[in-house]
Amino acid sequence: MTTTCLFLALGLAALAFLFLYLGKGYLAWVLPCGLGLLAWRHAGVSNPQAFLAAFWIFVAAAALLGFPPLRALLVTRPIMSIVAGILPKMGETERIALEAGTVWWDAELFSGSPDWKKMFSEKAPALSEKEKAFMAGPVQALCEMLDDWRVSQERDLPPEVWDFIKKNKFWGMIIPEAHGGLGFSALCHSAVITKLSSRSVTAAVTVMVPNSLGPGELILHYGTDEQKKYWLPRLASGQEIPCFALTEPEAGSDAASIKSGGVVCKGTWEGKEVVGIRLNWSKRYITLAPVATVLGLAFKLHDPEKLLGGAEELGITCALLPANMPGVEIGRRHDPLGIPFHNGPTTGKDVFVPLDFIVGGRAMAGQGWRMLMDCLAAGRSISLPSLSVGASQLAARAASAHAEVRRQFGLSIGKFEGIEAPLARIAGMTYLMNAARVVTAGAVDAGQKPSVVSAIVKAYCTEGMRSVLSDAMDVQAGNAICKGPHNTLGKSYCAVPIGITVEGANILTRSMIIFGQGAIRCHPFAKEEMAAVAAHDLGRFDAAFFGHVNFVFHNAARALVQGLAAPLCHCPESGMNRMSAAFAVCAEGAMATLGGQLKRRELLSGRLADALAWLYLGTATLKDFHDRGKPAKERIFLDWSIAHCLHQAESALAGLLDNLPSRPAAFALRQLVFPIGPVCPPPSDRLGAKLAQALLGDEEIRNRLTADIYIPGQMEGGLGLLDAAYRKTRASAELEKKAREAVKAGKPVSTVLTAEEAKLVEEADALRREAIQVDAFDKDVFRSLRA
């Protein structure tokens, strides 16, 4: 009898687990329990009183939990009170930031069960014919005009470059053709910045900022018809140079804490008394401010006399005003690590403007924070990720060429394992970062404003750029650290901290924004639960809470099954599915045990952000690989990228569980998500060696990996000379080997090489030696050099 009961219990537990795995939470306990009672009744149990007691307990529980009105009254009400006490408090600016943009693939990753058919069915991003012509024409021509060494010495772009940028409407890429702009896609905008940044960071920043968060985008989305008609054509043509002043000494990443203010009052404008705003501000780090003709300004608007008929404190507001107005001060410059794009402070004292200067007019007073968050949700996913990819592709091309032509101990240094390792990381990271760039831009073109994903690609692509450039500097060694016309990486390397700092410092983005925003926006029930508690809506909370409970048990079962089966599943999607379920379970555990405190436990939320970010980067790599027809030669790059992403995500979750304050919860979670321990090692040495050798020896792969950058001609020096030496060295490699073997055997080289072949070897060697030279300056010239 005992054995029968044991097998019966195990069978019912298995049945319950099956329903949990299938997401049938209600059936997971109702059906097995009901069947258990029936089995008990017919198994010869002789105690009818015990059976009846169990039966009525089961009926009561089923009625209580299965009948929502009764459940809400007796069970949900006390739960709602408890939840209300542990939920984080949220201010208005935080609420607006959380609600900005749209939810996209990040929600699928939070679900624990990503829908790959949905992802793969989305249209593959592609440039239009008009956009391709722009890339091949004006963008290529602009790159040919640029001499970054000259730019660094003159501390500015040459006048002819400024004129070319304006004439060809580089500042009008996001402005529709109907308003005089180019009307390009986000993908084209990204491609332009990627190519320019491989040539000159200064030029790339000068072009990208007016097409990012600033006057053009704000007027395009929120301006009045009159503002659009006046400003957009002038911005697109370059007649106006825009900047946008948000950052202040006391308000950096915490942009909502700005102190700059405007007071609604009466004043004189064009000879008449009107209701307007008297502005005072002090801003810094404002790109293009020193040369701007039109100033976008974010400030807090106050209406102490209630001239607008509403509240006294209206909130953050955005306005657009000419930079030459009395009281406006611009012109001074910051020096961001020697990268001479125009960046500087601006101040304003008692600057009176009419209400019409508010972006969107009087009706949009106090709506500036919402405008900024909505625009940033999309714009942050383009500019800096594109600059990061341009720098990384440049590093991949330069480092691989240098590793081939630079010789030590009689061998190209690329043949040493110590060089193969950084080359593999350069190749793998560049591959997955470019995939993230393309896929995310495609999502923006499809109508998404993916706020969480945009934060991910901004933070992790700029961090990826730091990693890639550090490895490339190590490979190039002395050639990388000597500044001059032949240096290929110095300016990009110096620019790394700039990309990491602006548009939300990466430390804050990782520790507070990605998971903090994602946990509420992307979770299928958390936002609804918070809204129900805030509205004191018991029925709404009941539906959300018990849906949430079902969701948790479903993912717990999924994580356990997939964790046990992990050694048997080798396709990339399986690994991503397992890690998505593990992430969902760990996120639930952290939120359940810490509640509102998780908001302040930044090391823990940062690890959850790492897991979510690497899951997205892996997803983007899979999507891009699929969109391009799964090229066989690139399979090793996909394998490296997925292995790297899964290892990083798994390590992040392991770190979370190691440090979760509730040790019993951490123990239980670990058994669910890592039932057989960690199973995602980093990419193997063997796989890394394959990547490195592909980058060094496969011209098709090398060109594909660096397809989006500008490659100068041989006569220019720098990358052009290095690339020419690489090709010549590769072409003469077999001939050189024959010559060495002949010399070793004591034979004249002429016995194995023709005169023409010998000349080719000599030319390759001469070009190789020239390519590894570094710049040196006379004393007087050196003293005159600029940063």
Side-chain angles (χ1 to χ4, degrees):
M1 184 65 183
T2 302
T3 303
T4 302
C5 290
L6 177 62
F7 278 107
L8 177 63
L10 289 174
L12 293 173
L15 184 61
F17 192 82
L18 174 63
F19 283 117
L20 281 174
Y21 183 76
L22 295 174
K24 309 300 182 182
Y26 186 70
L27 291 177
W29 62 271
V30 172
L31 188 56
C33 289
L35 291 176
L37 286 172
L38 290 176
W40 185 22
R41 180 70 184 88
H42 293 286
V45 177
S46 58
N47 189 340
Q49 290 81 11
F51 168 75
L52 287 174
F55 174 78
W56 286 114
I57 290 173
F58 168 71
V59 169
L64 180 63
L65 296 177
F67 186 56
L70 184 62
R71 180 182 68 200
L73 184 64
L74 300 179
V75 178
T76 310
R77 188 182 296 278
I79 292 176
M80 185 174 173
S81 298
I82 295 171
V83 171
I86 63 175
L87 283 177
K89 305 302 180 184
M90 190 181 304
E92 180 65 11
T93 55
E94 188 176 11
R95 183 188 63 79
I96 291 172
L98 286 171
E99 292 178 353
T102 60
V103 174
W104 179 52
W105 186 252
D106 38 346
E108 292 289 332
L109 296 174
F110 253 93
S111 75
S113 180
D115 186 347
W116 293 101
K117 289 184 179 179
K118 176 181 177 182
M119 185 62 158
F120 291 153
S121 66
E122 291 188 5
K123 184 180 177 181
L127 297 178
S128 68
E129 292 304 316
K130 181 181 176 182
E131 291 170 339
K132 291 177 183 177
F134 187 77
M135 292 297 299
V139 178
Q140 180 72 13
L142 178 56
C143 287
E144 291 169 356
M145 293 174 67
L146 290 164
D147 177 348
D148 207 36
W149 178 250
R150 176 187 171 189
V151 171
S152 71
Q153 294 308 297
E154 296 182 357
R155 309 292 284 150
D156 199 355
L157 296 172
E160 63 270 20
V161 170
W162 282 101
D163 291 341
F164 189 86
I165 288 171
K166 295 175 182 180
K167 179 181 177 181
N168 288 277
K169 300 186 177 181
F170 276 85
W171 291 338
M173 287 191 288
I174 66 169
I175 297 175
E177 291 181 272
H179 293 291
L182 296 173
F184 285 162
S185 64
L187 182 64
C188 183
H189 175 192
S190 173
V192 171
I193 302 306
T194 299
K195 191 162 188 172
L196 288 179
S197 64
S198 71
R199 183 60 162 163
S200 168
V201 174
T202 299
V205 172
T206 302
V207 168
M208 80 185 189
V209 167
N211 288 287
S212 186
L213 177 63
E217 188 170 21
L218 290 171
I219 292 293
L220 179 62
H221 293 297
Y222 303 104
T224 64
D225 289 342
E226 291 76 11
Q227 288 172 339
K228 291 177 181 178
K229 289 176 183 176
Y230 180 80
W231 286 114
L232 292 180
R234 298 167 72 89
L235 291 169
S237 67
Q239 185 177 348
E240 303 283 359
I241 302 177
C243 72
F244 187 74
L246 175 61
T247 304
E248 302 177 0
E250 299 294 333
S253 296
D254 181 17
S257 65
I258 58 176
K259 300 293 190 288
S260 297
V263 177
V264 179
C265 60
K266 292 182 180 179
T268 302
W269 181 257
E270 295 180 345
K272 299 179 182 179
E273 184 180 71
V274 298
V275 175
I277 307 168
R278 192 165 302 281
L279 294 162
N280 288 276
W281 71 85
S282 176
K283 304 285 188 176
R284 67 179 183 180
Y285 307 151
I286 311 305
T287 299
L288 294 184
V291 292
T293 62
V294 58
L295 175 70
L297 184 70
F299 58 93
K300 286 185 176 177
L301 183 61
H302 313 277
D303 186 9
E305 299 178 44
K306 296 189 176 181
L307 296 177
L308 299 183
E312 290 186 20
E313 302 299 326
L314 297 174
I316 294 176
T317 300
C318 295
L320 208 60
L321 52 150
N324 60 358
M325 292 186 67
V328 177
E329 181 181 332
I330 61 170
R332 292 184 300 149
R333 293 181 66 175
H334 300 309
D335 184 5
L337 289 175
I339 311 299
F341 60 89
H342 283 270
N343 182 277
T346 173
T347 59
K349 184 171 182 177
D350 294 333
V351 180
F352 183 80
V353 298
L355 293 175
D356 290 345
F357 278 32
I358 296 174
V359 175
R362 178 173 176 169
M364 296 304 286
Q367 298 301 309
W369 186 242
R370 186 183 303 278
M371 294 179 188
L372 296 174
M373 291 301 98
D374 279 341
C375 289
L376 197 60
R380 187 159 50 185
S381 63
I382 305 299
S383 297
L384 289 170
S386 304
L387 185 146
S388 300
V389 169
S392 298
Q393 289 193 12
L394 171 65
R397 191 141 191 124
S400 59
H402 182 85
E404 179 65 29
V405 304
R406 177 67 169 149
R407 293 180 180 171
Q408 292 289 276
F409 309 103
L411 291 173
S412 294
I413 64 171
K415 297 187 181 300
F416 292 92
E417 288 187 349
I419 298 297
E420 279 186 344
L423 285 177
R425 292 192 296 267
I426 291 169
M429 285 300 300
T430 300
Y431 185 83
L432 73 87
M433 288 164 58
N434 189 56
R437 174 188 74 85
V438 171
V439 170
T440 307
V444 173
D445 285 328
Q448 297 289 345
K449 290 185 176 181
S451 54
V452 174
V453 166
S454 70
I456 288 172
V457 293
K458 184 273 165 181
Y460 289 80
C461 283
T462 52
E463 291 292 346
M465 171 177 61
R466 168 154 50 188
S467 168
V468 167
L469 282 168
S470 292
D471 278 333
M473 294 287 285
D474 286 348
V475 171
Q476 285 201 313
N479 288 72
I481 64 174
C482 291
K483 296 169 69 174
H486 289 84
N487 187 297
T488 56
L489 299 178
K491 286 299 179 185
S492 293
Y493 183 76
C494 290
V496 166
I498 301 169
I500 284 170
T501 300
V502 300
E503 291 190 3
N506 284 2
I507 289 177
L508 177 140
T509 301
R510 173 185 176 268
S511 62
M512 296 179 66
I513 295 177
I514 292 173
F515 182 76
Q517 188 170 13
I520 297 173
R521 286 301 308 277
C522 305
H523 193 286
F525 297 101
K527 184 180 178 183
E528 181 68 7
E529 288 168 331
M530 292 179 69
V533 168
H536 305 288
D537 189 330
L538 183 61
R540 184 179 174 187
F541 179 80
D542 177 81
F545 180 78
F546 280 94
H548 192 163
V549 170
N550 183 38
F551 173 77
V552 170
F553 280 108
H554 178 200
N555 273 328
R558 179 183 294 276
L560 179 58
V561 169
Q562 294 181 347
L564 291 169
L568 305 176
C569 302
H570 302 293
C571 74
E573 291 88 343
S574 296
M576 299 297 288
N577 284 340
R578 183 184 81 82
M579 202 56 64
S580 173
F583 165 74
V585 171
C586 288
E588 295 289 355
M591 290 190 291
T593 57
L594 290 169
Q597 294 181 30
L598 182 57
K599 180 180 177 180
R600 294 179 292 278
R601 300 300 292 264
E602 295 169 22
L603 297 180
L604 298 180
S605 63
R607 291 185 177 100
L608 287 165
D610 288 340
L612 178 61
W614 287 109
L615 281 169
Y616 175 71
L617 294 173
T619 292
T621 308
L622 271 169
K623 166 66 172 168
D624 187 57
F625 183 75
H626 177 274
D627 285 347
R628 290 185 296 101
K630 302 180 180 180
K633 278 193 172 185
E634 295 178 24
R635 180 65 198 220
I636 57 172
F637 289 86
L638 175 71
D639 290 343
W640 188 98
S641 299
I642 296 300
H644 181 72
C645 290
L646 290 176
H647 175 69
Q648 293 294 328
E650 186 179 67
S651 298
L653 295 180
L656 171 78
L657 298 179
D658 287 342
N659 293 279
L660 197 66
S662 174
R663 301 317 300 155
F667 176 81
L669 289 169
R670 196 180 297 276
Q671 309 317 305
L672 286 172
V673 300
F674 301 133
I676 57 176
V679 294
C680 297
S684 66
D685 293 348
R686 183 179 179 184
L687 181 57
K690 288 182 179 179
L691 256 69
Q693 292 309 312
L695 180 60
L696 286 169
D698 190 323
E699 190 73 5
E700 180 184 347
I701 285 291
R702 186 166 177 267
N703 288 336
R704 165 68 186 90
L705 192 66
T706 60
D708 304 293
I709 65 172
Y710 174 76
I711 302 171
Q714 173 183 337
M715 298 305 294
E716 182 178 311
L719 179 62
L721 177 61
L722 192 57
D723 217 48
Y726 166 86
R727 291 193 301 272
K728 203 88 167 181
T729 301
R730 295 289 303 176
S732 65
E734 288 301 320
L735 299 176
E736 189 177 359
K737 182 179 178 182
K738 284 184 181 181
R740 285 199 308 268
E741 290 174 350
V743 171
K744 188 176 181 180
K747 300 178 182 179
V749 173
S750 59
T751 61
V752 293
L753 297 183
T754 66
E756 185 177 344
E757 290 173 334
K759 183 180 178 182
L760 177 61
V761 171
E762 290 176 4
E763 289 175 350
D765 190 59
L767 196 58
R768 182 187 65 79
R769 291 176 184 275
E770 184 183 358
I772 62 173
Q773 299 304 310
V774 297
D775 295 290
F777 306 92
D778 293 333
K779 290 181 181 180
D780 291 340
V781 174
F782 184 82
R783 290 192 187 100
S784 69
L785 294 179
R786 310 287 290 273

